[in-house]
Amino acid sequence: MPENWKKKWFCSKVQELKAPMWGLAIGLMKHPQDAEDAIQNALMLAYEHIDELSFAEKFKPWIMRILTNECYRLLKKRKLYVDIDEVYDLQDEHSGFDEDVTLWQVVENLKLEYRTVILLFYYEGMSIRQIAHTLDLSEDNVKKRLSRARGKLREYLEKEDL
Amino acid sequence: MRHMSDRMDDQIDARIRETLQRSAPQIPEDVSARFDDALSEAVEQEKIHKWKRKWWQKPAVASLITACLLVFVLLPNMNANISYAMQELPVIGGLIRVVTVYKQETSSEHHFQEVTKPQLEVSEESSQELKDASKLVNANVDARINQAMAEFQKEVDAYPEAYSGMMTDYEVVTNTDQWFTLRLMVYYSAASSNTEYHYYHIDKQTGEMVTLSDLFVSDYDYVEKFSKEVKKQMHDRMKKDENITYMIAGEDDFGGGFSAIDPEQNFYWDEEGNLVLVFDKYAVAPGYMGCPEFTIARDLFEKHMN
């Protein structure tokens, strides 16, 4: 397989996805340096495994899956996995939003499991099926998480309407 | 009722989507530059040591992306120069030379195509056979490239929004006094990627274009002998390395799989004069195995050659 073409193809594909990759990484990692680390590792991994991109898969969900997994790996490694800095738990009664909080910030403060499905579904535009594949979850499980997290976001939108 | 609540959900989804996109952080310029560096490093597969892993600590390297863009923009105008430069290469085997024709190089938002077409040229004083053979190779190469372009165009027409690319390239594999082999590579990348190799051979002794079936005397059943050998090598490799998988007919659940070589199987000669059989990607193994090759030792067939 011609190496130079693979490079060109990969570069052009990634260039198109720079913004959404950054959004996903910063949304999951929260800290810019961690997000950059995750992206760097994900790009390395993706290019090493580019030949495994199978027939049915599109490039975007493929690389987003690699990036998501890399973010998870780093979060786990840095023990950020526990929800020390998760401000809003879905269960808590905290329903007051500061006036200048954006929807993005609301999402950033969700627990990781909700944050991920929200970002992949609403921000990356991935299907339930692709998300299930990415996170190694059942489609039902993804739907469940999504509908619970959606409640929180709906609350925000209703507040914004007032 | 269900429809109504579905519709409401859809509306909320659309609003969340839109609001989220609007409030998403933009990629800062310095991060964007480091992103490009990381991308260059990834495709160059630079081994980055742990202690210097932070890419912002590295001096910015010339971005490959810029290089890519330059190539796209400049090539069409450079055609004449490239062709000229190619002609300056040493003449192959004293008789045949290969000239590159950049036929087409296009890219759009979702697609890009880079067609590099080789053409054989033979010197004036060559035999008529050699002239005919090179014309035949050229016609074959032309047909294969046109077919690939048509197939790609079909894909583009069918899925205009899907990212896809197509590229052709070539390589002179063998170049001796006796033999000339050209490899044409066709690389597609639609939702997936596929690679095809096509080999074109000229026997310089006779000046004729040769395919696998021309090599052996008629009572030598090379298809059967080589198929057995390939199967044996598949088993040996799978035994040695559990990461290797070949699909062999009747031996697993894949359905289909390898049963025998094509009488006109792709091949080339290695430096020791052994025959290397080449299979298309996906033909006998999963995609990650690429285009598998099997070497048939020359002692197996040497006595039975034409």
Side-chain angles (χ1 to χ4, degrees):
Chain A
M1 186 179 313
E3 201 62 34
N4 62 338
W5 192 80
K6 230 163 56 178
K7 277 180 199 169
K8 273 191 207 178
W9 183 77
F10 184 77
C11 288
S12 77
K13 288 278 157 293
V14 170
Q15 282 293 315
E16 289 161 6
L17 296 173
K18 236 164 122 169
M21 283 180 76
W22 173 249
L24 180 64
I26 191 77
L28 292 178
M29 304 301 291
K30 297 189 185 180
H31 303 289
Q33 293 202 342
D34 291 339
E36 289 190 25
D37 271 0
I39 287 175
Q40 186 182 28
N41 292 347
L43 290 175
M44 279 279 178
L45 263 175
Y47 192 71
E48 271 170 35
H49 294 267
I50 190 165
D51 292 339
E52 293 163 27
L53 199 58
S54 70
F55 263 115
E57 265 186 316
K58 293 247 163 72
F59 188 80
K60 184 174 171 180
W62 177 75
I63 198 150
M64 290 305 173
R65 187 170 80 234
I66 293 174
L67 181 58
T68 307
N69 289 335
E70 191 50 33
C71 286
Y72 272 41
R73 197 183 64 83
L74 289 178
L75 286 171
K76 229 177 225 167
K77 208 172 100 188
R78 293 172 196 185
K79 305 225 187 313
L80 293 169
Y81 212 83
V82 282
D83 35 339
I84 298 169
D85 54 353
E86 322 278 1
V87 179
Y88 307 119
D89 196 332
L90 288 176
Q91 270 72 38
D92 79 20
E93 288 302 302
H94 196 305
S95 58
F97 297 100
D98 292 337
E99 293 213 340
D100 50 356
V101 165
T102 66
L103 186 62
W104 184 271
Q105 286 164 327
V106 174
V107 170
E108 271 196 339
N109 283 320
L110 293 172
K111 271 184 155 180
L112 183 63
E113 57 183 291
Y114 298 113
R115 197 156 86 225
T116 311
V117 290
I118 290 287
L119 285 172
L120 294 179
F121 187 75
Y122 289 113
Y123 181 68
E124 304 296 357
M126 283 164 66
S127 68
I128 303 274
R129 198 159 138 209
Q130 288 169 338
I131 297 171
H133 180 48
T134 299
L135 301 176
D136 230 346
L137 292 171
S138 70
E139 290 185 28
D140 276 346
N141 207 328
V142 172
K143 276 187 208 157
K144 227 175 273 168
R145 285 188 193 190
L146 201 55
S147 81
R148 295 181 68 184
R150 189 192 270 131
K152 194 82 201 167
L153 304 186
R154 185 189 295 199
E155 220 175 276
Y156 171 88
L157 290 177
E158 280 162 4
K159 279 260 147 55
E160 206 189 32
D161 288 339
L162 290 179
Chain B
M1 285 310 282
R2 223 192 138 255
H3 290 290
M4 212 167 126
S5 72
D6 274 359
R7 264 233 305 276
M8 271 177 63
D9 273 358
D10 285 350
Q11 274 176 11
I12 289 165
D13 281 352
R15 235 189 110 191
I16 292 174
R17 200 160 273 145
E18 193 242 337
T19 316
L20 198 59
Q21 291 287 351
R22 222 169 347 107
S23 57
Q26 299 297 307
I27 183 164
E29 252 174 60
D30 57 326
V31 174
S32 177
R34 288 195 295 269
F35 192 120
D36 291 345
D37 291 347
L39 182 56
S40 309
E41 283 173 4
V43 297
E44 297 305 333
Q45 294 286 293
E46 276 180 27
K47 292 279 165 268
I48 300 172
H49 298 293
K50 263 245 148 76
W51 59 87
K52 47 185 221 184
R53 234 194 50 198
K54 298 257 184 282
W55 76 61
W56 55 87
Q57 291 170 346
K58 307 189 98 204
V61 290
S63 164
L64 181 76
I65 299 88
T66 317
C68 292
L69 291 175
L70 278 178
V71 168
F72 278 129
V73 175
L74 292 180
L75 265 181
N77 305 327
M78 287 165 62
N79 284 356
N81 289 339
I82 289 167
S83 298
Y84 178 75
M86 293 304 289
Q87 307 234 8
E88 298 297 304
L89 287 179
V91 175
I92 293 163
L95 292 165
I96 306 171
R97 68 169 129 196
V98 179
V99 181
T100 298
V101 191
Y102 276 95
K103 201 177 164 199
Q104 206 178 341
E105 169 122 8
T106 50
S107 68
S108 63
E109 194 190 341
H110 292 97
H111 316 287
F112 80 83
Q113 181 175 8
E114 184 186 312
V115 177
T116 304
K117 189 164 77 166
Q119 290 284 273
L120 309 194
E121 286 183 3
V122 295
S123 49
E124 271 307 306
E125 61 277 10
S126 304
S127 66
Q128 192 54 45
E129 283 84 1
L130 193 64
K131 283 177 181 164
D132 292 346
S134 73
K135 264 187 213 151
L136 195 54
V137 169
N138 286 341
N140 273 287
V141 167
D142 264 4
R144 189 60 204 104
I145 287 179
N146 289 340
Q147 190 193 338
M149 286 170 69
E151 278 165 16
F152 180 65
Q153 193 54 48
K154 237 195 255 168
E155 173 86 17
V156 168
D157 292 342
Y159 307 100
E161 295 294 307
Y163 294 107
S164 54
M166 180 266 221
M167 188 224 185
T168 68
D169 204 356
Y170 72 91
E171 200 179 330
V172 178
V173 180
T174 305
N175 168 21
T176 65
D177 293 341
Q178 284 112 46
W179 199 267
F180 173 82
T181 297
L182 177 79
R183 166 163 60 205
L184 179 70
M185 294 164 280
V186 181
Y187 188 53
Y188 295 101
S189 184
S192 64
S193 63
N194 195 12
T195 309
E196 291 172 11
Y197 291 158
H198 301 274
Y199 291 84
Y200 304 97
H201 313 275
I202 293 177
D203 182 343
K204 286 188 187 169
Q205 313 282 53
T206 61
E208 276 172 358
M209 188 175 158
V210 173
T211 60
L212 189 61
S213 60
D214 297 324
L215 294 178
F216 308 103
V217 293
S218 59
D219 64 343
Y220 179 65
D221 191 352
Y222 71 97
V223 172
E224 195 250 324
K225 292 271 193 309
F226 291 0
S227 301
K228 227 169 101 187
E229 176 63 20
V230 167
K231 229 181 267 185
K232 183 181 154 288
Q233 290 188 24
M234 284 177 167
H235 283 131
D236 287 352
R237 288 184 200 176
M238 285 193 284
K239 217 181 283 171
K240 260 191 221 142
D241 184 348
E242 57 177 23
N243 296 319
I244 291 179
T245 309
Y246 294 106
M247 298 177 283
I248 304 174
E251 292 187 15
D252 49 46
D253 310 326
F254 288 115
F258 176 76
S259 57
I261 65 162
D262 189 302
E264 301 297 1
Q265 190 73 42
N266 271 315
F267 76 95
Y268 65 91
W269 301 106
D270 72 8
E271 276 166 22
E272 283 82 45
N274 304 309
L275 191 72
V276 182
L277 297 173
V278 185
F279 289 85
D280 287 344
K281 193 174 173 182
Y282 303 107
V284 296
Y288 66 85
M289 305 268 305
C291 295
E293 296 187 348
F294 299 90
T295 303
I296 311 292
R298 60 189 294 178
D299 353 333
L300 192 72
F301 55 80
E302 215 164 23
K303 286 187 232 95
H304 309 283
M305 289 187 73
N306 266 327

